Amino acid sequence: MSSSASDVVNGGISFWYADDGLPAVREPLTGDASADVVIVGGGYTGLWTAYYLKKAAPFLRITVLEQRFCGYGASGRNGGWLYNGIAGRDRYAKLHGREAAVRLQRAMNDTVHEVVRVVGEEGIEADVHLGGVLEVARTPAQLARLKEFHAHELAFGENDRELYGARETAERIRVAGAVGSTWTPHGARVHPVKLVKGLAATVEALGVTIHEATPVTEIRPKHAVTPYGTVRAPYVLRCTEGFTAALKGHRRTWLPMNSSMIATEPLTAEQWETVGWTGLQTLGDLAHAYMYAQRTADGRIALGGRGVPYRFGSRTDHDGRTQEATVEALREILAGFFPALAGVRVAHAWSGVLGVPRDWCATVTLDRSTGLGWAGGYVGSGVATANLAGRTLRDLVRLDSGQDGRTGLTDLPWVGHRVRKWEPEPLRWLGVQGMYATYRAADRRETERHSAGSSRLARVADRVAGRH
């Protein structure tokens, strides 16, 4: 491709911030304080929780504490997929029965449209386009998995999902070698930073206090401890996702999994005509080491994948800087999907971390004995799931404080789910590195052999991961 490493803006948090500008950082905490609810983390989960709590109970004194600025983490770096996937649904079906898991899936379907509703109602300009999600298969093994996935989603009540052959897929997006696809209407493209900035401003206008540049070092019952003082509150809600490992006592709670992205320069009208990507769907695939992409409002392709999946000791990156080998791998994916774009310049590259529990199940919990709550472990599906988590934490706090009774959200099967911690190092690092190396090897083998069966290597990696 024509772009070299020196041409690419690498890091700087994300392309989304380069596009919309870094925010002015709000004032840090200036000493000990008190609140009715303190929320640790100023990403989507924390801000949605603050939004729904304040709307339901305007009298509540709510304080959000954020270590850098709202949206510094995954909320400002993701692929902008507002879609209905939720991590752990199949496990919840095994634990609680299929009907409980169907209720969870329906709640996620509704969540996509709830975010679109609130964004419109609050006047948040976030480049939202409800075009659904198209996931393509490019090998016989991927096609077999796609058909199985499609049938599985139908079984969980997603009756408006559609299955396409090669010709119908090409009519929507011309992906090289695509032999089939599945599409759900429950998905939208968003500009992640415009969403998080608008949400933070909306929450602040409602009367929520936000302190940025205020790292929380320890959470304990009724206390959120920072270098500048301690905020005391009956409820302390941990909404830190991939940065959870930095908190005292949480090094092994959730693994900070790395995901990386590139954004091209804006494409010409002729290039878009060649690609045929006119419907503004978000785009994914059925590889084991999968990709995800969107067509941005200013006419770029933003595309992501795993890259270097994990840093030893649960460390996180420095402002999104990404290894050149990862940038090159993502360029190759782009060129493989769209050969006509092989010469398009990659303008920006970045990385971020997402939270992965040991059993790969997203959870939301309020411990009524301590007032400690948390939500996360979204495993890459957090843009929409964070909204459902925020509404569920609202209902759990209101239930515990006697303001309301049980609701449909408090009875969903992901509420209160507990899981064991990750292994200590170096087992954690070795396991994750080996797992993703095996997934990539499985993809290569499937491409080379061109058979309809999934590689056995992927099943080995699934067992190592704890996904099955």
Side-chain angles (χ1 to χ4, degrees), residues 154-209:
L154 293 180
F156 277 93
E158 200 179 333
N159 297 321
D160 43 8
R161 178 176 284 275
E162 298 177 6
L163 182 67
Y164 304 134
R167 180 182 57 79
E168 293 171 301
T169 300
E171 289 172 355
R172 287 154 178 84
I173 304 178
R174 287 192 281 277
V175 173
V179 290
S181 62
T182 180
W183 175 82
T184 176
H186 304 295
R189 174 203 73 187
V190 300
H191 188 300
V193 162
K194 290 181 180 180
L195 176 58
V196 77
K197 281 184 178 180
L199 189 54
T202 299
V203 162
E204 204 167 36
L206 290 173
V208 172
T209 299

Coordinates of all heavy atoms in Angstrom, one line a residue, residues 154-209:
L154 N -31.6 -16.7 15.2 CA -33.1 -16.9 15.0 C -33.7 -17.6 16.1 O -34.8 -17.3 16.6 CB -33.4 -17.7 13.7 CG -33.0 -17.0 12.3 CD1 -33.3 -17.9 11.2 CD2 -33.7 -15.6 12.2
A155 N -33.0 -18.6 16.6 CA -33.5 -19.4 17.8 C -33.6 -18.6 19.0 O -34.4 -18.9 19.9 CB -32.6 -20.6 18.0
F156 N -32.9 -17.5 19.1 CA -33.0 -16.6 20.3 C -33.9 -15.4 20.0 O -33.8 -14.3 20.6 CB -31.6 -16.1 20.7 CG -30.8 -17.0 21.5 CD1 -30.0 -17.9 21.0 CD2 -31.0 -17.0 22.9 CE1 -29.3 -18.8 21.8 CE2 -30.3 -17.9 23.7 CZ -29.5 -18.8 23.2
G157 N -34.8 -15.6 19.0 CA -35.9 -14.6 18.8 C -35.6 -13.5 17.8 O -36.4 -12.6 17.7
E158 N -34.4 -13.5 17.2 CA -34.1 -12.4 16.3 C -34.7 -12.7 14.9 O -34.0 -13.0 13.9 CB -32.6 -12.2 16.2 CG -32.3 -10.8 15.7 CD -30.8 -10.5 15.6 OE1 -30.0 -11.2 16.4 OE2 -30.4 -9.7 14.8
N159 N -36.0 -12.6 14.8 CA -36.7 -13.1 13.6 C -36.6 -12.1 12.4 O -36.9 -12.5 11.2 CB -38.2 -13.3 13.9 CG -38.4 -14.3 14.9 OD1 -37.8 -15.4 14.9 ND2 -39.4 -14.1 15.8
D160 N -36.0 -10.9 12.6 CA -35.9 -10.0 11.5 C -34.5 -10.0 10.9 O -34.1 -9.2 10.1 CB -36.2 -8.5 12.0 CG -35.7 -8.2 13.3 OD1 -34.9 -9.0 13.9 OD2 -36.0 -7.1 13.9
R161 N -33.7 -11.0 11.3 CA -32.3 -11.2 10.8 C -32.5 -11.8 9.4 O -33.3 -12.6 9.1 CB -31.5 -12.1 11.7 CG -30.1 -12.4 11.2 CD -29.3 -13.2 12.2 NE -28.8 -12.3 13.2 CZ -27.7 -11.6 13.2 NH1 -26.9 -11.6 12.1 NH2 -27.3 -10.9 14.2
E162 N -31.6 -11.5 8.4 CA -31.6 -12.0 7.1 C -30.3 -12.7 6.7 O -29.2 -12.3 7.1 CB -32.0 -10.9 6.1 CG -33.3 -10.2 6.4 CD -33.6 -9.0 5.5 OE1 -32.8 -8.8 4.5 OE2 -34.6 -8.4 5.7
L163 N -30.4 -13.7 5.9 CA -29.3 -14.5 5.4 C -29.2 -14.3 3.9 O -30.2 -14.4 3.1 CB -29.5 -16.0 5.7 CG -28.3 -16.9 5.3 CD1 -27.1 -16.6 6.1 CD2 -28.8 -18.4 5.4
Y164 N -28.0 -13.9 3.4 CA -27.7 -13.6 2.0 C -26.7 -14.6 1.4 O -25.7 -15.0 2.1 CB -27.2 -12.2 1.8 CG -28.1 -11.1 2.4 CD1 -27.6 -10.1 3.2 CD2 -29.5 -11.1 2.2 CE1 -28.4 -9.1 3.7 CE2 -30.3 -10.1 2.7 CZ -29.7 -9.1 3.5 OH -30.5 -8.2 4.0
G165 N -26.9 -14.9 0.1 CA -25.8 -15.6 -0.6 C -24.8 -14.6 -1.2 O -24.8 -13.4 -0.9
A166 N -23.9 -15.1 -2.0 CA -22.8 -14.3 -2.6 C -23.3 -13.1 -3.4 O -22.9 -12.0 -3.2 CB -21.9 -15.2 -3.4
R167 N -24.3 -13.3 -4.2 CA -24.8 -12.3 -5.1 C -25.5 -11.2 -4.2 O -25.3 -10.0 -4.4 CB -25.8 -12.8 -6.1 CG -26.4 -11.7 -7.1 CD -27.4 -12.3 -8.0 NE -28.5 -13.0 -7.4 CZ -29.5 -12.4 -6.8 NH1 -29.6 -11.1 -6.8 NH2 -30.5 -13.1 -6.2
E168 N -26.4 -11.6 -3.3 CA -27.1 -10.6 -2.5 C -26.1 -9.9 -1.6 O -26.3 -8.7 -1.3 CB -28.1 -11.4 -1.6 CG -29.2 -12.0 -2.4 CD -30.1 -12.8 -1.5 OE1 -29.6 -13.8 -0.9 OE2 -31.3 -12.6 -1.4
T169 N -25.0 -10.5 -1.1 CA -24.0 -9.9 -0.3 C -23.3 -8.8 -1.1 O -23.2 -7.6 -0.7 CB -23.0 -10.9 0.2 OG1 -23.6 -11.9 1.0 CG2 -21.9 -10.2 1.0
A170 N -22.9 -9.1 -2.4 CA -22.3 -8.2 -3.3 C -23.1 -7.0 -3.6 O -22.6 -5.8 -3.8 CB -21.8 -8.8 -4.5
E171 N -24.5 -7.1 -3.6 CA -25.4 -6.0 -3.8 C -25.3 -5.0 -2.7 O -25.7 -3.9 -2.8 CB -26.8 -6.6 -4.0 CG -27.0 -7.3 -5.3 CD -28.4 -8.0 -5.4 OE1 -29.1 -7.9 -4.4 OE2 -28.7 -8.6 -6.4
R172 N -24.9 -5.5 -1.5 CA -24.8 -4.6 -0.3 C -23.4 -4.0 -0.1 O -23.3 -2.8 0.1 CB -25.3 -5.4 0.9 CG -26.8 -5.5 0.8 CD -27.3 -6.7 1.6 NE -28.8 -6.8 1.5 CZ -29.4 -7.4 0.5 NH1 -28.8 -7.9 -0.5 NH2 -30.8 -7.4 0.5
I173 N -22.4 -4.9 -0.1 CA -21.0 -4.4 -0.1 C -20.2 -5.4 -0.9 O -20.4 -6.6 -0.7 CB -20.5 -4.4 1.4 CG1 -21.3 -3.5 2.3 CG2 -19.0 -3.9 1.4 CD1 -20.8 -3.4 3.7
R174 N -19.3 -4.9 -1.8 CA -18.6 -5.8 -2.6 C -17.3 -6.2 -1.9 O -16.2 -5.6 -2.1 CB -18.3 -5.2 -4.0 CG -19.6 -5.2 -4.8 CD -19.3 -4.9 -6.3 NE -19.1 -3.4 -6.5 CZ -20.1 -2.5 -6.6 NH1 -21.3 -3.0 -6.6 NH2 -19.8 -1.3 -6.8
V175 N -17.4 -7.2 -1.0 CA -16.2 -7.8 -0.4 C -15.6 -8.9 -1.2 O -16.3 -9.8 -1.6 CB -16.6 -8.3 1.0 CG1 -15.4 -9.0 1.7 CG2 -17.1 -7.2 1.9
A176 N -14.3 -8.8 -1.5 CA -13.6 -9.8 -2.3 C -13.8 -11.2 -1.7 O -13.5 -11.4 -0.5 CB -12.2 -9.4 -2.5
G177 N -14.2 -12.1 -2.5 CA -14.3 -13.5 -2.0 C -15.5 -13.8 -1.1 O -15.6 -14.9 -0.6
A178 N -16.4 -12.9 -0.9 CA -17.5 -13.1 0.0 C -18.5 -14.1 -0.6 O -18.9 -14.0 -1.7 CB -18.3 -11.8 0.3
V179 N -18.8 -15.2 0.2 CA -19.7 -16.2 -0.3 C -21.0 -16.2 0.4 O -21.9 -17.0 0.0 CB -19.0 -17.6 -0.2 CG1 -17.8 -17.8 -1.1 CG2 -18.5 -17.9 1.3
G180 N -21.2 -15.3 1.3 CA -22.5 -15.2 2.0 C -22.3 -14.2 3.2 O -21.3 -13.7 3.5
S181 N -23.5 -13.9 3.7 CA -23.5 -12.9 4.8 C -24.8 -13.0 5.6 O -25.8 -13.6 5.1 CB -23.3 -11.5 4.3 OG -24.4 -11.1 3.5
T182 N -24.8 -12.5 6.8 CA -26.0 -12.3 7.6 C -26.1 -10.9 8.1 O -25.1 -10.2 8.3 CB -26.0 -13.3 8.8 OG1 -27.2 -13.2 9.6 CG2 -24.8 -13.1 9.7
W183 N -27.3 -10.4 8.1 CA -27.6 -9.0 8.4 C -28.6 -8.9 9.5 O -29.7 -9.6 9.5 CB -28.0 -8.2 7.2 CG -28.4 -6.8 7.4 CD1 -27.6 -5.7 7.5 CD2 -29.7 -6.3 7.6 NE1 -28.3 -4.6 7.7 CE2 -29.6 -4.9 7.8 CE3 -31.0 -6.8 7.6 CZ2 -30.7 -4.0 8.0 CZ3 -32.1 -6.0 7.9 CH2 -32.0 -4.6 8.0
T184 N -28.4 -8.0 10.5 CA -29.4 -7.7 11.5 C -29.7 -6.2 11.5 O -28.8 -5.4 11.3 CB -28.9 -8.1 12.9 OG1 -29.9 -7.7 13.9 CG2 -27.6 -7.5 13.3
P185 N -31.0 -5.8 11.6 CA -31.3 -4.4 11.6 C -30.9 -3.7 13.0 O -30.9 -2.5 13.1 CB -32.8 -4.4 11.4 CG -33.3 -5.7 12.0 CD -32.2 -6.7 11.7
H186 N -30.6 -4.6 14.0 CA -30.3 -4.0 15.3 C -28.9 -3.6 15.4 O -28.1 -4.1 16.2 CB -30.7 -5.0 16.4 CG -32.1 -5.5 16.3 ND1 -33.2 -4.7 16.5 CD2 -32.6 -6.7 15.9 CE1 -34.3 -5.4 16.3 NE2 -34.0 -6.6 16.0
G187 N -28.5 -2.6 14.6 CA -27.1 -2.1 14.7 C -27.1 -0.7 14.0 O -27.8 -0.4 13.1
A188 N -26.1 0.1 14.5 CA -26.0 1.4 14.0 C -24.5 1.8 14.0 O -23.7 1.4 14.8 CB -26.8 2.5 14.8
R189 N -24.1 2.7 13.1 CA -22.8 3.4 13.1 C -22.9 4.6 14.0 O -23.9 5.3 13.9 CB -22.4 3.8 11.7 CG -21.2 4.6 11.7 CD -21.1 5.5 10.4 NE -22.0 6.6 10.5 CZ -22.2 7.4 9.5 NH1 -21.7 7.2 8.3 NH2 -23.1 8.5 9.6
V190 N -21.9 4.8 14.8 CA -21.8 6.0 15.6 C -20.4 6.5 15.6 O -19.5 5.8 15.3 CB -22.2 5.8 17.1 CG1 -23.7 5.3 17.2 CG2 -21.3 4.9 17.8
H191 N -20.2 7.8 15.9 CA -18.9 8.4 16.1 C -18.7 8.3 17.6 O -19.4 9.1 18.4 CB -18.9 9.9 15.6 CG -17.6 10.5 15.6 ND1 -16.8 10.7 16.8 CD2 -16.9 11.1 14.6 CE1 -15.7 11.3 16.5 NE2 -15.7 11.6 15.2
P192 N -17.8 7.5 18.1 CA -17.7 7.2 19.5 C -17.4 8.4 20.3 O -18.0 8.6 21.4 CB -16.5 6.2 19.6 CG -16.5 5.5 18.3 CD -16.9 6.6 17.3
V193 N -16.5 9.3 19.9 CA -16.2 10.5 20.7 C -17.3 11.5 20.7 O -17.6 12.1 21.8 CB -14.9 11.1 20.2 CG1 -14.7 12.5 20.7 CG2 -13.7 10.2 20.6
K194 N -18.0 11.7 19.6 CA -19.1 12.7 19.6 C -20.2 12.2 20.6 O -20.8 13.0 21.3 CB -19.7 12.8 18.2 CG -18.7 13.6 17.3 CD -19.4 13.8 15.9 CE -18.4 14.5 15.0 NZ -19.0 14.7 13.6
L195 N -20.4 10.8 20.7 CA -21.4 10.3 21.6 C -20.9 10.5 23.0 O -21.7 11.0 23.8 CB -21.5 8.8 21.3 CG -22.5 8.0 22.3 CD1 -23.9 8.6 22.3 CD2 -22.5 6.6 21.9
V196 N -19.7 10.2 23.4 CA -19.3 10.3 24.8 C -19.2 11.7 25.2 O -19.5 12.1 26.3 CB -17.9 9.5 25.0 CG1 -16.7 10.3 24.5 CG2 -17.8 9.2 26.5
K197 N -18.7 12.6 24.3 CA -18.7 14.1 24.7 C -20.1 14.6 24.9 O -20.4 15.3 25.9 CB -18.0 14.9 23.6 CG -16.5 14.8 23.5 CD -16.1 15.8 22.4 CE -14.6 15.8 22.3 NZ -14.1 16.7 21.2
G198 N -21.0 14.2 24.0 CA -22.4 14.7 24.1 C -23.1 14.2 25.4 O -23.8 14.9 26.1
L199 N -22.8 12.9 25.7 CA -23.4 12.3 26.9 C -22.8 12.9 28.1 O -23.6 13.2 29.1 CB -23.1 10.8 26.9 CG -23.8 9.9 27.9 CD1 -25.3 10.1 27.9 CD2 -23.4 8.5 27.7
A200 N -21.5 13.2 28.2 CA -20.9 13.9 29.4 C -21.5 15.3 29.6 O -21.9 15.7 30.7 CB -19.4 14.0 29.2
A201 N -21.7 16.0 28.5 CA -22.3 17.4 28.6 C -23.7 17.3 29.0 O -24.2 18.1 29.9 CB -22.2 18.1 27.2
T202 N -24.5 16.3 28.5 CA -25.9 16.1 29.0 C -26.0 15.8 30.4 O -26.8 16.4 31.1 CB -26.5 15.0 28.1 OG1 -26.5 15.4 26.7 CG2 -27.9 14.8 28.5
V203 N -25.1 14.9 30.9 CA -25.1 14.5 32.3 C -24.8 15.7 33.2 O -25.4 15.9 34.2 CB -24.1 13.3 32.5 CG1 -23.8 13.1 33.9 CG2 -24.7 12.0 31.9
E204 N -23.8 16.4 32.8 CA -23.4 17.6 33.6 C -24.5 18.6 33.7 O -24.7 19.2 34.7 CB -22.1 18.2 33.0 CG -21.3 19.0 34.0 CD -19.9 19.3 33.4 OE1 -19.8 19.5 32.2 OE2 -18.9 19.3 34.2
A205 N -25.2 18.8 32.5 CA -26.3 19.8 32.5 C -27.4 19.3 33.4 O -28.2 20.2 33.9 CB -26.8 19.9 31.1
L206 N -27.6 18.0 33.7 CA -28.6 17.5 34.6 C -28.3 17.8 36.0 O -29.1 17.6 36.9 CB -28.8 16.0 34.3 CG -29.5 15.6 33.0 CD1 -29.5 14.1 32.9 CD2 -30.9 16.1 33.0
G207 N -27.0 18.1 36.3 CA -26.6 18.4 37.7 C -25.7 17.4 38.3 O -25.4 17.4 39.5
V208 N -25.2 16.5 37.5 CA -24.2 15.5 37.9 C -22.8 16.1 38.0 O -22.4 16.9 37.1 CB -24.1 14.3 37.0 CG1 -23.0 13.3 37.3 CG2 -25.5 13.5 37.0
T209 N -22.1 15.9 39.1 CA -20.7 16.4 39.2 C -19.7 15.5 38.6 O -19.7 14.3 38.9 CB -20.4 16.6 40.7 OG1 -21.3 17.5 41.3 CG2 -18.9 17.1 40.9

